[in-house]
Amino acid sequence: MSRELCHQQEALWELLTTELIYVRKLKIMTDLLAAGLLNLQRVGLLTEVSAETLFGNVPSLIRAHRSFWEEVLGPTLEETRASGQPLDPVSLQNGFLSFSQRFQPYILYCLRVKQTMAYAWEQQDSSPLFHTFVQWCEKHKRSGRQTLGDLLIKPHQRITKYPLLLQAVRKRSPEARAREALTAMIAAVESFLRHINKRVRQGEEQESLVAAARRIGPYEVLEPPSEEVEKNLRPFSTLDLMAPMLGVASEHTRQLLLEGPVRMKEGREGKLDVYLFLFSDVLLVTKTLRRADKAKVIRPPLMLEKLVCRPLRDPSSFLLIHLTEFQCVSSALTVHCPRATDRALWLEKTQQAQVALQKLKAEECIQQKRELLALYQDRDRESPGPRPSTPSTEGSESSTEGSNCRTPESSTVIPQLVVTEDTDEDAPSVPDDTSDSGYGTLVPGSPKASHFPPNRLRSRAFRRDPRLTFSTLDLRDVPLHPLPPDPQAPQRRSTPELPEESVQKGGSLPRGDPPTSSEEEDGTSVGENVVVENLHRARLRGQLSPSPTHTDSAGESPWDSSGDEEEEEPFLGPGYSPSPHPLRAEDMLREIREELASQRIESVPEPGDSRPRKLTRVQLQRMRGLHVVHLDTPLSTSEV
């Protein structure tokens, strides 16, 4: 082997040998100290000493290292002995990349190591019998001259030594492949150590906060005028400093930054000796109690985010201004420090606390936004259905996808209303060849499509007479054809869905039967037939006052009929007599088309040949009943 390779093997061998030595030292704590203490407790000695508090979770550490040796270090050593080749650091990569999962018990042990050592010293000082037992264990031949304090601190030292051992191996590894693997291993171990340090720091901060909270006594910011008032104020006269800070991640703990005695003046009152506590997010004004080592809160807590500090001309004084949510003054306190250096320290610490608090709140706000964005993205991936959008010419999906509802009992398609977009009254608008603006759908263009001029009086007519539009209640009795969705159908505009109970299953829209004799006599239309009702409205408007001309954007009727019926003669019905003032056919049909085009039932299947069905004269007469529409030209519809 080369000199560099020899140094690499020496570093790897140090990693292996120190691992075995460390596990043996852990066994000293369990097999000698813990076992001896438990044996004495069985005979009634040292029962006041807690073995669990003294040794913690050392058995869990032993199991973790035994598994690490059997699965990572041991197989590498056995392979080297079997093949006669040098130790390969790359074979350790998978084991060290899972370092944080393998050595989770170290988090709990490092959190308790200070308390454990303090407990051990306390028991030795208070119990002579326990002190004698510890001396006997330290002199035992199996202890290896290790003291109890040395053994308790060994796990903390070992876990922090792994990066140094790996760095020594990387420093002596000439191959790029081995160096890359060792770099990844070092990064994994250091990441776990940073996590442990973070948890330890949080634990220390929590202990410090507990100690500070114990020093703060009652909350007496008001003087109740009576016992009844005091009784009602009592539930709200407690201050919980252990509660998390508002607007900050829970991992950050409130800390005591500065404390000290000062003299305070509020308004025109005299100066008062107080004791200030500056925490990470709040400033407390307290007064020291004489008979107890505690301080009671005499002013409401001053939140740092609403606090303004201003130095005064007096070199040892400064002003505290507390603001409300409206950035108005809530209270103002003049603080007189013992020395000018004390004032500078209070101002500096307060400003630093405000900056740190603002930074923590900004980080938490950004984190919440990221979590919310991730939540929306996950929901989008779970429900990949298309969102409501405008029609697209590249509509290869089903026209009913995303806008139709199907019940589990049947495949009946529930209709929806499509509200068309009105064009500007003054701007000219001509429908293109690929869209039908009256229906709000996309249909194949046709050279035979007829285009009518835009209707500028439509919005005025609707404002004058709101009955020109359909009501959703008129569609409750409209049956439907349960047909599977057509994947080649163009996409339709999505609109709000009708309630399921307002839709009946069935066939297509009703064509309208001839009205009964009673209906012919009183001149009313059939309530269940929407077309007859609108024909009746159009007839009434034509007789009472001239209405503006309404045209369909497509200029065609959406009602269907067979092509053979177009040549039949109109059915006038028994007892027919023409109206003395017949309404013009063009005006009546245009108004009907306008109203039908403004409200569209989606998901009604189109004919198989993709051509709109036609309305014949015979069907028109059957729907009108008493009156006849005289047509100057044959009624026909062109393709849409």
Side-chain angles (χ1 to χ4, degrees), residues 55 66 84 188 247 296 308 314 350 384 387 436-437 458 462 515 527 530 537 547 635 638:
F55 301 106
R66 181 174 296 174
K296 66 176 181 178
V308 179
D314 183 2
T350 303
R387 295 181 177 179
D436 178 5
S437 60
R458 174 182 176 183
F462 285 173
V530 179
R537 292 178 182 176
S547 61
L635 177 63
S638 58

Side-chain angles (χ1 to χ4, degrees), residues 54 115-128 130:
L54 188 60
Q115 292 86 343
T116 300
M117 297 186 68
Y119 181 77
W121 297 125
E122 180 184 355
Q123 291 297 326
Q124 291 190 62
D125 294 340
S126 60
S127 176
F130 181 73

Side-chain angles (χ1 to χ4, degrees), residues 287-488:
K287 188 173 181 60
T288 306
L289 299 177
R290 295 181 180 180
R291 298 183 179 180
D293 189 15
K294 288 187 177 183
K296 66 176 181 178
V297 182
I298 61 174
R299 292 293 184 275
L302 305 177
M303 307 306 296
L304 292 188
E305 59 183 352
K306 300 296 182 181
L307 191 64
V308 179
C309 298
R310 291 289 185 268
L312 300 178
R313 286 180 295 181
D314 183 2
S316 61
S317 302
F318 64 95
L319 180 64
L320 291 177
I321 306 174
H322 192 253
L323 306 178
T324 64
E325 296 293 337
F326 295 96
Q327 300 301 314
C328 302
V329 177
S330 172
S331 61
L333 306 176
T334 303
V335 180
H336 301 274
C337 301
R339 295 178 297 273
T341 55
D342 294 337
R343 186 190 78 165
L345 182 61
W346 277 104
L347 293 178
E348 180 184 1
K349 289 292 185 180
T350 303
Q351 183 180 6
Q352 292 177 357
Q354 288 176 331
V355 173
L357 180 62
Q358 185 178 6
K359 182 180 178 181
L360 292 177
K361 289 193 173 185
E363 292 176 354
E364 178 65 13
C365 182
I366 294 175
Q367 181 64 23
Q368 290 179 358
K369 290 181 179 179
R370 289 176 179 174
E371 294 177 356
L372 186 61
L373 179 61
L375 178 61
Y376 284 142
Q377 291 176 351
D378 293 342
R379 289 183 178 179
D380 291 342
R381 284 192 292 266
E382 292 175 359
S383 56
R387 295 181 177 179
S389 59
T390 55
S392 172
T393 54
E394 302 174 358
S396 59
E397 300 179 354
S398 173
S399 61
T400 60
E401 182 179 359
S403 63
N404 296 336
C405 301
R406 297 180 181 275
T407 59
E409 293 82 10
S410 63
S411 60
T412 303
V413 180
I414 297 180
Q416 297 175 346
L417 291 179
V418 175
V419 181
T420 59
E421 299 177 358
D422 294 340
T423 58
D424 191 359
E425 295 184 0
D426 298 329
S429 172
V430 178
D432 55 8
D433 294 337
T434 60
S435 67
D436 178 5
S437 60
Y439 289 166
T441 60
L442 288 177
V443 294
S446 173
K448 300 180 181 180
S450 60
H451 302 287
F452 285 81
N455 180 15
R456 301 183 180 180
L457 301 177
R458 174 182 176 183
S459 59
R460 298 179 184 176
F462 285 173
R463 286 194 296 268
R464 185 177 66 253
D465 189 359
R467 294 174 300 173
L468 293 176
T469 58
F470 282 177
S471 171
T472 54
L473 299 177
D474 296 335
L475 300 176
R476 291 185 176 180
D477 298 328
V478 178
L480 301 172
H481 282 300
L483 292 178
D486 184 9
Q488 302 297 330

Side-chain angles (χ1 to χ4, degrees), residues 537-557:
R537 292 178 182 176
R539 177 178 58 80
L540 294 179
R541 288 196 299 274
Q543 292 178 357
L544 297 177
S545 62
S547 61
T549 303
H550 301 281
T551 58
D552 188 2
S553 58
E556 301 161 2
S557 173

Side-chain angles (χ1 to χ4, degrees), residues 200-211:
V200 172
R201 186 184 68 253
Q202 292 176 358
E204 294 176 350
E205 293 176 351
Q206 191 73 13
E207 293 177 1
S208 175
L209 180 60
V210 171

